[in-house]
Amino acid sequence: MARTLPVILAVFSLSAADLRPVDQPAVKNRAPLVAAAFNPLPLTAVKPRGWLRRQLEIQAHGQSGHLDEFWPSLTSDSGWLGGTGESWERGPYFLDGLVPLAYLLDSVELKAKVLRWVNWTLENQRPDGAMGPVKNTDWWPNFVELKVLTQYYEATGDTRVPALMRRYFAYMAKSIDERPLKEWAIYRWGDQVLTIAWLYNRTGDAFLLDLARKLSRQGYNWKGHFADFQYPGKVTKEQAQLKTHVVNNAMAIKTSPVYSLFSADRSDRDALYQLLKVMDEHHLMPNGVHGGDEHYAGRSPVQGTELCAVVEAMFSLELATGITGDAALGDRLEKMTFNALPAAFDTQMWAHQYDQQPNQVLVDIQRRDWTTNGPESNLFGLEPNFGCCTANFHQGWPKFAANLWMATAEDGLAAVAYAPSEVAAVVRGGVRVKITEETQYPFKDRVDLRVEPAKAATFPLLVRVPAWAEKAVVEVNGKAESGVRAGAFHRIERRWQSGDRVLLRFPMDVRVTRWHNNSAAVERGPLVFSLRVGEEWRKLRERGMTADWAVSPTTAWNYALVLGDGAFQVKEGAVGEYPFGGESPAVRIAAKARKVPGWEMQNGSAAPPPQSPVTTGEPVETVDLIPYGAAKLRITAFPVASR
Ligand SMILES: [Zn+2]
């Protein structure tokens, strides 16, 4: 029966096309929810172009587009398709990325896949309002499925979605006292409150406000956790708990700001900054993410970060940037997206790592110094260590693309992050406007915007100026704007005419930042650069349509940087067919370095970088640095040679 459904419902979604939320102004928070600085645009308002579209196509042609054809957790036995197999988080996780991927690419094949899954959920709600596989009694996977449905609704206008959600939340409100949140759901309650806000903004059902407050009381107190932070460094196996779990912490980035919409308590919103302060101090890595393998792992660059934590932190930051309007959060989002995200995959996105290391010189099966993870965690493969990341990684690129642009509180538009794209939205006065963004950012420093309102219209356009872009220039129709400040949104309010052009220049000087043991990382714009280490890929075993791989180094990696005048030579090239491929990276930096004898392997990883400065009598060589995301073997946190 399920096989015939996609066809029938494809007709349904066509007939609902004129209700598509994408044709409406962005939905704002409804009182008493607090107004956000920016509101998300409906899914498909932003269309990826250029290298970003290519990246999404790579993802679609890779595992994302085919995983349900061979991975047992997602085949037709899934409980989320009415089967008796996996009935917990994996189906919803997969869809949380497949839905935006399918609709952003407007892919007939992927949309048909989406419908098969979504229709099962929409058509099998139980009379009491419960949803999903009958054998699942955990609230948590439903949190994810509801996020899936909000995206699907925004892309299609399928009115079955709000109808199901109203019945479901009424059921939850009735049941939550006798069947309270447990285990993962206790720590991930922010994701449910988020969807409650989404529905409240569209229906105004007052019981939803009470439900959100109740969940906040049953949920873990993350605000208190970070106000009195107890984990300054790598935890022991005995200390590992759900509150030290890196994915829960990445998801918690959103929790206080999202809940602040309900509580109207400024200190809830600002709890985000206390989280970032203590997590940066004790667990931040040079690739922009917090260390956790899979519990708090400290700042040594040979500790890992789980891929689920990368994509969840990105989603949290997308939301938090919208709620606060804080440009610094957009900087963080870009750093993760352009570095830690692509690094965890092979170029063609058919294999991923569970844990990535900033200093990663050998990928194979052995016990590394993880807090709790197993010996397969840094393999590139189908499901190294555990299959959660296999199910969950899909949301990374598509949600980033969807959130490049947001609506501002004053009915304008904000460029929250940069990548080639096009946005179509309804702004002040109900005027439709299209903005085309041409750029090779983050590889190059120039962004060109072409503004095309359907008729002349006055509205604010906010452009994020990254904190590192101290010499940023913003020009409107060739005339430089005054008051451009690094680390803030620059606001341009004027009467826009079709064909107006905005040029952004974000000069990308090479920067050296300091890390564990006073090591140095090399950054340029939002990209982090790593020593290119020769890679020998070895297939360990076939895994259905893909395989598991080990990677061994074929060149030396034990270099210290020689800093000083002329230390770095930047060379820009074209963005290739694989934007984060290592074969012909779009940017490379020639650097001066000396080998450090005695800096060797330790437990399958490079030993932590020796305390800098280091003394070495080895000759100065020129080494090749390439974007972190392209270097599957690499050194990122370098010792620094004394002069
Ligand atoms: Zn995972």
Side-chain angles (χ1 to χ4, degrees):
M1 178 181 161
R3 273 161 216 271
T4 61
L5 283 173
V7 179
I8 297 166
L9 266 302
V11 174
F12 177 90
S13 69
L14 264 182
S15 65
D18 34 348
L19 296 174
R20 280 159 46 97
V22 73
D23 298 326
Q24 310 291 324
V27 174
K28 294 181 180 177
N29 290 340
R30 181 195 288 254
L33 297 192
V34 174
F38 308 144
N39 295 295
L41 292 165
L43 184 68
T44 72
V46 180
K47 295 204 185 327
R49 292 164 53 96
W51 75 256
L52 182 61
R53 182 173 177 91
R54 173 69 192 139
Q55 186 64 48
L56 292 189
E57 286 168 354
I58 292 168
Q59 179 173 341
H61 294 146
Q63 227 175 66
S64 285
H66 298 284
L67 193 57
D68 58 333
E69 294 161 22
F70 72 100
W71 194 42
S73 292
L74 294 178
T75 46
S76 49
D77 196 30
S78 166
W80 292 93
L81 290 169
T84 56
E86 210 277 343
S87 299
W88 197 47
E89 66 186 10
R90 292 188 178 180
Y93 262 162
F94 174 58
L95 290 169
D96 198 24
L98 188 68
V99 169
L101 184 66
Y103 286 93
L104 290 182
L105 288 177
D106 199 20
S107 158
V108 173
E109 293 82 10
L110 296 188
K111 286 193 282 189
K113 287 191 178 212
V114 163
L115 284 171
R116 178 167 173 247
W117 291 83
V118 165
N119 283 334
W120 186 86
T121 293
L122 291 175
E123 290 169 1
N124 287 280
Q125 186 168 29
R126 297 191 282 283
D128 62 0
M131 63 179 272
V134 176
K135 75 183 202 191
N136 171 53
T137 57
D138 185 356
W139 297 109
W140 152 243
N142 296 348
F143 293 5
V144 187
E145 183 68 5
L146 289 158
K147 285 190 296 175
V148 169
L149 293 177
T150 62
Q151 296 178 86
Y152 167 75
Y153 174 78
E154 292 186 4
T156 63
D158 187 335
T159 52
R160 294 176 302 169
V161 170
L164 172 139
M165 287 171 71
R166 290 177 105 161
R167 290 193 297 266
Y168 178 76
F169 283 128
Y171 159 79
M172 189 181 208
K174 224 184 308 170
S175 323
I176 194 73
D177 286 327
E178 60 195 52
R179 191 156 66 81
L181 301 181
K182 62 169 190 176
E183 298 167 358
W184 299 96
I186 292 175
Y187 297 87
R188 299 176 171 182
W189 61 277
D191 282 57
Q192 186 66 120
V193 169
L194 170 70
T195 307
I196 290 173
W198 185 94
L199 187 63
Y200 178 74
N201 288 335
R202 285 158 178 82
T203 67
D205 292 332
F207 81 94
L208 294 169
L209 303 174
D210 296 332
L211 178 59
R213 291 193 188 98
K214 189 165 278 187
L215 293 177
S216 81
R217 291 193 295 271
Q218 289 190 7
Y220 184 61
N221 178 6
W222 285 109
K223 187 180 172 186
H225 177 90
F226 293 108
D228 180 25
F229 191 64
Q230 299 291 318
Y231 303 96
K234 184 174 163 179
V235 298
T236 62
K237 276 197 171 61
E238 294 68 37
Q239 288 173 312
Q241 303 170 62
L242 288 177
K243 63 185 171 188
T244 64
H245 189 275
V246 67
V247 184
N248 290 344
N249 276 261
M251 295 172 77
I253 294 171
K254 79 171 77 64
T255 302
S256 291
V258 169
Y259 190 63
S260 74
L261 303 177
F262 291 85
S263 71
D265 181 344
R266 179 80 189 206
S267 75
D268 283 333
R269 208 185 92 167
D270 292 346
L272 164 69
Y273 294 100
Q274 174 66 14
L275 177 159
L276 294 173
K277 177 170 165 271
V278 297
M279 287 295 284
D280 286 359
E281 183 180 347
H282 302 298
H283 301 289
L284 186 64
M285 297 286 202
N287 54 8
V289 292
H290 296 123
D293 50 25
E294 63 195 28
H295 293 269
Y296 291 143
R299 297 187 66 177
S300 169
V302 293
Q303 296 299 142
T305 298
E306 183 189 338
L307 177 53
C308 280
V310 177
V311 295
E312 291 292 355
M314 286 171 54
F315 179 55
S316 290
L317 285 169
E318 287 154 13
L319 293 163
T321 308
I323 291 168
T324 62
D326 181 356
L329 301 178
D331 289 4
R332 280 182 188 265
L333 170 63
E334 285 188 348
K335 190 169 182 184
M336 288 180 189
T337 306
F338 298 143
N339 298 285
L341 180 65
F345 297 90
D346 74 309
T347 304
Q348 304 197 21
M349 292 190 80
W350 269 104
H352 72 268
Q353 293 182 293
Y354 193 87
D355 284 331
Q356 63 176 287
Q357 302 163 284
N359 284 4
Q360 178 170 285
V361 299
L362 177 64
V363 165
D364 68 354
I365 301 177
Q366 62 175 295
R367 294 222 159 266
R368 292 182 165 80
D369 296 336
W370 315 124
T371 55
T372 55
N373 283 152
E376 295 194 0
S377 298
N378 82 351
L379 291 187
F380 285 88
L382 171 63
E383 48 182 352
N385 192 58
F386 188 65
C388 56
C389 306
T390 314
N392 191 15
F393 77 72
H394 314 271
Q395 65 172 313
W397 282 116
K399 286 189 187 171
F400 174 74
N403 285 295
L404 289 171
W405 292 90
M406 294 187 188
T408 70
E410 305 158 297
D411 302 313
L413 286 168
V416 166
Y418 297 103
S421 61
E422 179 184 302
V423 58
V426 178
V427 297
R428 191 180 293 167
V431 178
R432 280 190 71 79
V433 59
K434 186 171 106 175
I435 300 180
T436 307
E437 175 176 351
E438 281 186 23
T439 184
Q440 295 188 325
Y441 189 95
F443 307 105
K444 306 206 172 146
D445 68 1
R446 179 183 175 124
V447 178
D448 283 280
L449 305 177
R450 190 170 71 243
V451 184
E452 293 168 283
K455 59 178 189 191
T458 302
F459 64 90
L461 175 65
L462 275 64
V463 293
R464 192 185 111 257
V465 182
W468 47 259
E470 284 160 14
K471 290 170 261 173
V473 174
V474 178
E475 286 178 10
V476 179
N477 295 332
K479 187 166 175 287
E481 290 275 302
S482 60
V484 174
R485 214 156 45 78
F489 279 92
H490 180 75
R491 181 190 162 96
I492 312 165
E493 177 150 359
R494 66 196 300 277
R495 189 165 171 80
W496 297 96
Q497 314 270 357
S498 188
D500 280 344
R501 288 178 176 271
V502 178
L503 165 68
L504 312 174
R505 284 308 270 267
F506 301 131
M508 294 176 169
D509 295 336
V510 176
R511 313 186 306 282
V512 173
T513 50
R514 292 294 185 146
W515 300 88
H516 185 69
N517 285 349
N518 201 27
S519 58
V522 178
E523 306 187 38
R524 178 181 183 264
L527 292 178
V528 179
F529 285 77
S530 302
L531 177 75
R532 177 206 282 279
V533 177
E535 298 168 7
E536 183 182 79
W537 287 66
R538 186 162 43 90
K539 191 183 282 187
L540 297 179
R541 60 201 163 205
E542 300 287 346
R543 300 298 303 263
M545 295 177 78
T546 183
D548 289 346
W549 300 85
V551 191
S552 304
T554 60
T555 56
W557 52 263
N558 57 330
Y559 285 99
L561 290 178
V562 178
L563 301 179
D565 291 346
F568 303 109
Q569 299 290 332
V570 177
K571 205 169 155 197
E572 288 188 349
V575 181
E577 188 187 358
Y578 294 94
F580 291 91
E583 296 292 307
S584 53
V587 193
R588 56 214 303 171
I589 299 176
K592 302 265 180 267
R594 295 175 190 264
K595 286 204 181 87
V596 181
W599 183 25
E600 292 171 351
M601 303 283 293
Q602 183 181 302
N603 298 338
S605 301
Q611 182 73 36
S612 290
V614 297
T615 305
T616 163
E618 296 293 307
V620 175
E621 299 175 48
T622 300
V623 296
D624 194 17
L625 308 186
I626 63 173
Y628 176 92
K632 309 307 174 188
L633 295 183
R634 59 189 168 244
I635 292 293
T636 310
F638 291 87
V640 177
S642 58
R643 319 261 299 273

